[in-house]
Structures are given as structure tokens and as C-alpha cells.
């Protein structure tokens, strides 16, 4: 078995120069960034030269930066057999399954900022905010996440669509891409051919690519602009949807903050159209008792 990145660092740390130590400290503290950064970006963050980064990668026993990236990605999300993971979950017995899954979901949430990385998150926000339109691609369980991101972008005044189509229909969807567009791939665990075709088309057109993944950072890192790595769900009961949907909410709020007036106008326009469609309120009227409680709560808030 190949030694992990952490073990490699421990084995050679005493042999490294001061610059090399800064590089491996960056790898250890920021595996998400290490799995996608270029040598120049690593050098900037570690305050060393590009040559020091490459030399340190070789001292760690890696053939090149690509191999180092895969090792860094494995720190975040070890490769696993999904069937075996499911079998292990099914054999677990717990007196209070709801409490256990809630606790583990909370752990995923706490791990999300560290796993994604602040620099990668900021880069994704800047890309989404600058794009004229977004095409969000997701398959299987990733499709609801893609749809949530696209819907949220539309409601804050952006042009966006989500797709899980294949074949000719997917080819038509990819035909929307322009240099000013952004392609967002939601690919947590599964690498399918459609991902490769979408990336190739985006590269041909010249539009940026954002990847949201749990396990596949090393598969795509050399071909996409920004990788957002969500926490590993290998040893927990909740699915990756917990952290993926939370990441989507954070992205939408951050993009909204780049242009608050546009975001608010988008919501106002949606609400106006909704009211016109139903000629009034779509919601079922509240019972007097519930309405009274809400009014009392509002008055209390106003008095603070």
C-alpha cells in the first residue's frame, strides 16, 4: 500500500529546508487547496519559489505535482466501495438512529469550511458572479443539488439552468455555453462520460468550470478552474446531500452579496409574477390562532 501524504511528510520532514517545511506545512493544513493548486499558487501561499515546491514534491517521493494532488485529495476523501459502505451502514444498530444521524450530519457541517477551503470558495463565488449565465450539470442524486443551485441563481436575478440529460439532449444543452458562461459540475462520487464531454466543450468555448465533488477532485483538477471538495461521507450515515446543499446555500448568499440590489430585484420580480399568476396569495390562509401568534411575535420583535 502506498504511504499517505501525511506519512510521507513525517518521513522526510527533518531532511527538508526551511522553505520545504513551509511547503509541506501548507500541504498538511490545506489538503483541499493542495489537491487543485498549481505550483505557482502553492509557492505564493507558502512564500517560496516555484522550484522549491517542485523540489519538495520530489522529496516526498511523488513523480510530479499531479501525483501529489491525488494524494492530497485522498486525505480528504479516501477511495471506497459504495456497496461496502452501504452494507456497513445497514448492519449498524442504534437505539436512537435519528440522534446518531443528526450528530454525524452536524459533524459534516462543521467540516465543510475546512474541506472546501476559503480560497476555492471565494474563487467560485467570483466566477458565478461574473458569468452571464450558468449551466449546472448533475446526474443521479447530484441532480437535485444542481437544480437547487440553478433555481437559486435565477431567483437572485441570474440566468441559469440545470440538466441531467444525456445523448442528443445533453449536446443541445452544451450548445448554450459561451465564453461569458460558467459550467458547474456537481459530481460527488461518480465520474461519467458526460462530465468529460462537458469539460471538453467548456474548454473549447473558453468558459470557466466549477466542480463540486466529494471524491473526484484528482479526476478533474487539471481540467477545471475551481474545485469545491465537500467532506467525506465514508464513515457516516448521512448522505453527501447535507453538505452539498449547505454549500449551495452559502454560494447563493455570497453571490447575492456581490450585487444586493440585483438579488433583491430578482426576488421581487419572482414574487410579483407569482402573485399575478394566482391573483393573490398562493398560501392557504392561517387559522386565527396561528395568525395571532405570528402577529404577537412580530410585535415583540418590533419592540426590541
Amino acid at each position: 500500500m502506498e504511504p499517505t501524504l501525511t506519512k510521507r511528510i513525517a518521513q522526510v520532514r527533518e531532511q527538508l529546508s526551511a522553505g520545504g517545511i513551509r511547503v509541506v506545512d501548507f500541504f498538511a493544513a490545506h489538503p483541499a487547496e493542495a489537491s487543485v493548486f498549481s505550483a505557482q499558487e502553492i509557492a505564493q501561499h507558502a512564500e517560496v519559489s516555484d522550484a522549491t515546491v517542485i523540489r519538495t514534491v520530489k522529496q516526498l517521493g511523488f513523480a510530479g505535482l499531479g501525483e501529489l494532488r491525488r494524494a492530497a485529495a485522498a486525505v480528504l476523501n479516501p477511495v471506497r466501495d459504495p456497496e461496502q459502505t452501504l452494507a456497513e451502514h445497514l448492519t449498524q444498530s442504534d437505539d436512537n438512529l435519528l440522534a446518531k444521524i443528526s450528530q454525524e450530519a452536524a459533524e459534516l457541517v462543521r467540516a465543510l469550511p475546512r474541506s472546501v477551503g476559503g480560497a476555492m470558495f471565494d474563487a467560485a463565488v467570483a466566477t458565478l458572479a461574473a458569468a452571464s449565465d450558468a449551466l449546472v450539470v448533475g446526474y443521479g442524486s447530484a441532480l437535485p443539488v444542481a437544480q437547487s443551485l440553478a433555481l437559486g441563481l435565477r431567483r437572485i436575478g441570474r440566468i441559469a439552468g440545470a440538466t441531467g440529460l444525456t445523448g442528443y439532449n445533453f449536446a443541445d444543452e452544451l450548445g448554450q455555453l459561451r465564453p461569458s458562461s460558467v459550467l458547474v459540475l456537481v459530481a460527488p462520487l461518480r465520474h461519467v462520460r458526460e462530465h468529460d464531454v462537458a469539460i471538453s466543450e467548456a474548454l473549447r468555448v473558453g468558459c470557466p468550470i466549477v466542480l463540486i465533488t466529494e471524491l473526484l477532485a484528482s479526476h478533474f483538477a487539471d481540467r477545471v478552474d475551481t474545485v469545491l471538495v465537500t467532506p467525506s461521507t465514508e464513515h457516516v450515515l448521512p448522505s453527501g446531500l447535507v453538505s452539498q446543499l449547505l454549500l449551495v446555500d452559502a454560494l447563493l448568499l455570497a453571490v447575492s452579496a456581490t450585487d444586493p440590489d440585483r438579488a433583491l430585484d430578482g426576488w421581487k420580480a419572482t414574487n410579483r409574477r407569482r402573485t399575478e399568476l394566482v391573483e393573490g396569495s398562493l398560501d392557504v390562509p392561517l387559522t386565527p390562532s396561528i395568525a395571532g401568534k405570528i402577529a404577537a411575535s412580530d410585535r415583540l420583535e418590533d419592540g426590541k
Side-chain angles (χ1 to χ4, degrees):
M1 180 181 295
E2 286 290 323
T4 64
L5 175 60
T6 302
K7 288 183 179 179
R8 289 177 186 254
I9 291 174
Q11 290 169 354
V12 305
R13 185 180 179 85
E14 293 183 358
Q15 306 167 24
L16 298 175
S17 64
I21 290 175
R22 287 200 295 275
V23 172
V24 296
D25 284 348
F26 176 80
F27 291 157
H30 306 282
E33 286 86 348
S35 68
V36 294
F37 272 7
S38 66
Q40 183 178 13
E41 290 171 316
I42 294 170
Q44 290 173 348
H45 283 77
E47 298 182 346
V48 298
S49 66
D50 296 6
T52 298
V53 172
I54 300 301
R55 183 167 57 251
T56 304
V57 169
K58 295 292 181 65
Q59 287 177 286
L60 288 170
F62 296 112
L65 191 56
E67 196 172 292
L68 178 280
R69 286 172 175 164
R70 288 189 286 275
V75 171
L76 294 164
N77 295 299
V79 176
R80 63 185 185 273
D81 180 350
E83 283 189 27
Q84 181 62 33
T85 300
L86 176 60
E88 292 172 359
H89 287 172
L90 292 175
T91 58
Q92 292 185 29
S93 97
D94 197 289
D95 293 336
N96 194 335
L97 187 59
L98 177 60
K100 180 175 177 59
I101 200 169
S102 298
Q103 179 181 356
E104 292 183 349
E107 292 172 0
L108 284 178
V109 170
R110 285 193 292 270
L112 182 61
R114 181 176 66 255
S115 180
V116 170
M120 289 291 103
F121 180 81
D122 291 344
V125 170
T127 299
L128 289 168
S132 63
D133 58 280
L135 176 62
V136 192
V137 178
Y139 295 98
S141 63
L143 181 56
V145 180
Q147 292 171 328
S148 180
L149 177 57
L151 175 61
L153 287 170
R154 291 196 299 271
R155 285 185 171 173
I156 59 172
R158 309 282 170 161
I159 300 172
T163 183
L165 297 173
T166 61
Y168 272 114
N169 291 327
F170 187 48
D172 289 336
E173 295 278 10
L174 292 177
Q176 304 175 36
L177 294 176
R178 301 289 183 271
S180 59
S181 306
V182 58
L183 172 67
V184 182
L185 298 179
V186 184
L189 302 173
R190 296 178 57 208
H191 180 175
V192 296
R193 181 166 177 77
E194 283 80 1
H195 295 145
D196 295 321
V197 174
I199 290 172
S200 294
E201 182 63 14
L203 291 173
R204 187 189 70 79
V205 170
C207 75
I209 308 167
V210 174
L211 171 69
I212 298 174
T213 188
E214 178 182 329
L215 195 61
L216 303 177
S218 61
H219 288 233
F220 301 112
D222 292 335
R223 295 180 288 159
V224 304
D225 299 277
T226 307
V227 182
L228 304 178
V229 181
T230 57
S232 172
T233 56
E234 181 182 11
H235 299 298
V236 297
L237 291 175
S239 74
L241 288 173
V242 173
S243 51
Q244 293 156 23
L245 289 172
L246 185 62
L247 175 59
V248 164
D249 279 348
L251 288 170
L252 291 172
L253 283 171
V255 173
S256 297
T258 65
D259 193 342
D261 291 338
R262 180 176 180 176
L264 290 172
D265 287 345
W267 269 105
K268 288 176 182 176
T270 297
N271 287 331
R272 174 182 54 76
R273 290 189 292 267
R274 175 189 177 187
T275 301
E276 290 174 353
L277 284 168
V278 299
E279 297 183 347
S281 176
L282 182 66
D283 300 319
V284 175
L286 298 173
T287 64
S289 60
I290 296 177
K293 289 179 181 179
I294 293 176
S297 176
D298 289 343
R299 288 196 296 271
L300 181 62
E301 289 293 328
D302 291 341
K304 287 183 177 180

